[in-house]
Amino acid sequence: MTQPVDYLANETWTVGDVTITKVVESSGPFPIELLDPIVGAERVRSVKTGPSWQRPYYLSGNDEICTPVHSFLIQTPTKRIVVDTGVGDDRERDFEGFRMLKSGYLDRFGAVWDPESVDYVVSTHLHVDHCGWNTRLENARWVPTFPNARYLFIKAEYDAWKALAADPDASRLWDPTPYMMLDIERLFSESMLPIHEAGLVDWTEPDAVLTPEVRLIPTHGHTPGHVSVLVESGGQSTVMSGDLFHGACQVAHPEWHDQLDIDRPKGMLTRAGFLERFADTSTMVLFTHIGPSPAAYIKREGGSYRLEPAGA
Ligand SMILES: [Zn+2]
């Protein structure tokens, strides 16, 4: 008998002198149709009908997938770095799955670190599920959750969302459902602007070296300033991909764009380059929205790619 999966449990990996802990905001099995507005219903149908390495780990017999939202907490010998900060509690959001969450995230985070001890906050990009906990609600005001941290914003990324938040016609860029999921105006005023106004932003290059072990990799396309985070220490390495992939099906089909990709041709090229770079290497990938565990190795297979769960 298999043990039930605790989708909210923290997971920890060691990379040389660095420790990485996953703190979950939300997770759980969902019908694969959840990906319809992301990669398209026709593609989702094709995943369900074909034999695939995705079963049963990434796609259950009930055609369910796991689409977690979580943070990675990187402890280097000298710094504490948070990568991605989820949706956040108490938010009025258009997308039901993100609305007025009471997630317990800060309790799970607090079991690992005191938020006041964080040195850097990095968002792979500034979508609604990656920068929400930049702030928290206190006396009806949005205040920095990590008051002693420097928030490392990529300028092109911040400027893009600032411009879109101010542009009432921004929705012309997207199909209605994906655009609704982003909730740009509220997100900018609640999770980006208060950080800027608090003077906590460090404008950061997309290939910046944060510590001797941690560096950013430009992986633009999904958004204008999207980055991945590479950790190398003691001959070991891991890379946090961000949202280059929303589902395991995009590993097999890097040409399948994401409806939320702001530059779809570039997103496809970036995905293909990422797979080419890390396939059949010892670098473990930590995904955002692929689970139950986000840790996997990329393997070449039959002119395409597959994932091998790191715990397998
Ligand atoms: Zn995301």
Side-chain angles (χ1 to χ4, degrees):
M1 185 177 147
T2 52
Q3 292 293 317
V5 176
D6 181 359
Y7 291 101
L8 296 180
N10 293 347
E11 277 185 275
T12 300
W13 302 269
T14 301
V15 183
D17 297 330
V18 176
T19 302
I20 303 173
T21 303
K22 177 191 78 171
V23 173
V24 182
E25 181 179 55
S26 63
S27 187
F30 299 97
I32 191 174
E33 282 75 14
L34 187 82
L35 283 181
D36 282 2
I38 308 286
V39 296
E42 200 175 311
R43 292 168 173 181
V44 166
R45 269 196 299 277
S46 77
V47 171
K48 288 168 67 171
T49 54
S52 168
W53 51 263
Q54 295 174 66
R55 293 186 188 276
Y57 191 79
Y58 295 110
L59 179 65
S60 77
N62 299 327
D63 289 329
E64 290 177 328
I65 58 169
C66 185
T67 56
V69 175
H70 48 233
S71 299
F72 293 116
L73 280 54
I74 305 175
Q75 175 73 68
T76 79
T78 57
K79 297 291 183 193
R80 290 184 163 180
I81 306 168
V82 179
V83 176
D84 288 335
T85 62
V87 175
D89 282 2
D90 309 310
R91 322 280 157 143
E92 187 53 58
R93 291 284 177 263
D94 286 335
F95 179 57
E96 189 182 350
F98 295 159
R99 190 179 305 145
M100 300 308 282
L101 298 185
K102 298 291 183 190
S103 62
Y105 169 89
L106 272 193
D107 291 338
R108 287 188 288 281
F109 190 104
V112 185
W113 291 346
D114 179 348
E116 297 198 358
S117 71
V118 171
D119 296 296
Y120 297 134
V121 177
V122 179
S123 291
T124 55
H125 60 301
L126 293 172
H127 271 173
V128 63
D129 51 330
H130 295 261
C131 64
W133 277 111
N134 282 1
T135 57
R136 61 185 173 82
L137 199 55
E138 184 179 86
N139 299 325
R141 287 183 60 242
W142 295 102
V143 301
T145 305
F146 310 101
N148 299 313
R150 302 304 300 172
Y151 286 69
L152 309 183
F153 283 180
I154 309 299
K155 191 76 165 55
E157 183 77 6
Y158 181 88
D159 284 350
W161 300 117
K162 181 182 177 184
L164 287 168
D167 179 1
D169 295 325
S171 60
R172 70 183 181 276
L173 290 173
W174 286 286
D175 304 327
T177 302
Y179 176 75
M180 178 268 285
M181 292 175 78
L182 297 179
D183 224 322
I184 294 166
E185 294 90 338
R186 279 190 283 238
L187 179 67
F188 182 78
S189 65
E190 293 173 2
S191 294
M192 297 182 221
L193 192 56
I195 301 302
H196 192 221
E197 290 177 342
L200 297 183
V201 173
D202 279 352
W203 301 116
T204 303
E205 294 298 320
D207 59 354
V209 176
L210 309 188
T211 75
E213 306 84 8
V214 183
R215 66 178 61 221
L216 306 182
I217 306 174
T219 45
H220 308 337
H222 182 59
T223 62
H226 188 286
V227 294
S228 300
V229 181
L230 180 66
V231 175
E232 297 171 300
S233 178
Q236 298 179 297
S237 58
T238 190
V239 62
M240 282 142 267
S241 64
D243 278 12
L244 292 183
F245 308 89
H246 268 90
C249 60
Q250 285 179 293
V251 174
H253 295 281
E255 75 281 11
W256 286 5
H257 71 254
D258 185 321
Q259 310 279 21
L260 297 169
D261 286 355
I262 202 163
D263 184 336
R264 293 176 180 181
K266 187 158 193 169
M268 188 183 79
L269 285 174
T270 300
R271 238 181 334 275
F274 186 94
L275 291 166
E276 173 70 26
R277 176 173 177 178
F278 294 110
D280 294 335
T281 71
S282 60
T283 302
M284 184 177 74
V285 183
L286 291 171
F287 293 96
T288 302
H289 300 308
I290 298 177
S293 172
Y297 296 96
I298 298 167
K299 302 290 181 185
R300 287 189 175 82
E301 185 171 85
S304 181
Y305 301 93
R306 65 177 172 86
L307 292 181
E308 185 175 283

